[in-house]
Amino acid sequence: SQTIHQWPATLVQPVGSPLSLECTVEGTSNPNLYWYRQAAGRGLQLLFYSVGIGQISSEVPQNLSASRPQDRQFILSSKKLLLSDSGFYLCAWSKGQSTDTQYFGPGTRLTVL
Amino acid sequence: AQSVTQLDSQVPVFEEAPVELRCNYSSSVSVYLFWYVQYPNQGLQLLLKYLSGSTLVKGINGFEAEFNKSQTSFHLRKPSVHISDTAEYFCAVSLGGSNYKLTFGKGTLLTVNP
């Protein structure tokens, strides 16, 4: 069966510090991968998605970036965090069809102080 | 572009009462529709999805939803809720084809009280 991992589970960082959040998927190959941010009362906002190694599509302009160095690894990064980057970050995967379910990881709670 | 509106941000109900969580979407093309549930501090879990065929879709935990194309709605229902159904519920839409992206509503917090 497939599983998706995210770490860390929680993170408190000062403004201006770098960020690296990691997501890995097990039990499947060549998944589509997604990063979402969830802010209170605003639902889920798709930040990035990837259909293959090195292929990243950005949905919103921001100071975050994403990379996919391996087939089942997806990394969310920032060089300098802003207060507005605080939120709950969710990674998800799906197979290659738009009808396929997206499966979500447990999330990372990021607080920028 | 498609959008999703969840009409109620919060829905409080008593245990064993029926509940309906409302979802409307806007799109100029056919869509696929999803309902996800999120328990506190956890990721999202699929409840059910509508792709085609019967407009009444049954999901996990006794939930069901009905697709109404003329009203562009996909409301979620459960005839009798439990305390354990307390969670946030998200409606989402996908355009299909080569578009893998889901557009989510802002969520409805269902609180089941004893």
Side-chain angles (χ1 to χ4, degrees):
Chain A
S1 64
Q2 301 88 8
T3 56
I4 179 169
H5 304 278
Q6 286 186 246
W7 63 88
T10 60
L11 191 60
V12 180
Q13 291 286 92
V15 170
S17 64
L19 174 72
S20 180
L21 303 182
E22 189 165 344
C23 170
T24 59
V25 181
E26 296 177 356
T28 188
S29 60
N30 196 30
N32 288 352
L33 295 171
Y34 310 84
W35 276 113
Y36 290 89
R37 177 168 57 204
Q38 185 177 21
R42 297 184 62 183
L44 277 79
Q45 180 184 36
L46 179 64
L47 302 176
F48 302 95
Y49 71 96
S50 170
V51 299
I53 295 175
Q55 300 178 60
I56 309 294
S57 296
S58 175
E59 289 297 298
V60 292
Q62 58 208 320
N63 70 319
L64 299 172
S65 62
S67 61
R68 185 171 177 173
Q70 300 181 44
D71 181 45
R72 290 169 291 175
Q73 184 184 31
F74 206 22
I75 297 172
L76 183 69
S77 303
S78 174
K79 292 182 179 178
K80 288 186 178 181
L81 284 168
L82 306 173
L83 286 174
S84 58
D85 292 324
S86 293
F88 193 49
Y89 288 82
L90 289 159
C91 181
W93 76 271
S94 71
K95 295 179 182 177
Q97 303 297 319
S98 56
T99 54
D100 292 324
T101 299
Q102 288 189 19
Y103 298 93
F104 286 79
T108 295
R109 175 77 59 190
L110 172 65
T111 304
V112 183
L113 302 175
Chain B
Q2 71 275 24
S3 66
V4 178
T5 302
Q6 291 185 242
L7 298 163
D8 305 296
S9 60
Q10 297 186 52
V11 174
V13 295
F14 288 108
E15 194 173 16
E16 297 184 6
V19 70
E20 178 180 82
L21 305 183
R22 297 180 292 170
C23 172
N24 287 90
Y25 69 93
S26 65
S27 174
S28 58
V29 299
S30 295
V31 297
Y32 302 127
L33 295 156
F34 304 77
W35 274 101
Y36 283 83
V37 60
Q38 183 181 32
Y39 299 102
N41 296 311
Q42 295 185 25
L44 278 69
Q45 178 185 6
L46 180 73
L47 276 177
L48 48 82
K49 61 182 178 182
Y50 172 79
L51 304 180
S52 65
S54 173
T55 58
L56 183 62
V57 181
K58 293 188 183 297
I60 62 171
N61 300 340
F63 284 93
E64 64 181 31
E66 186 157 17
F67 171 60
N68 188 318
K69 187 174 182 179
S70 62
Q71 297 187 8
T72 61
S73 68
F74 191 53
H75 301 333
L76 182 70
R77 302 185 182 99
K78 186 170 183 178
S80 176
V81 294
H82 303 290
I83 298 286
S84 58
D85 292 322
T86 295
E88 190 147 26
Y89 293 78
F90 292 93
C91 182
V93 61
S94 166
L95 288 181
S98 61
N99 191 322
Y100 310 108
K101 295 181 288 186
L102 285 177
T103 300
F104 284 86
K106 292 185 177 181
T108 297
L109 178 61
L110 173 65
T111 303
V112 182
N113 299 300

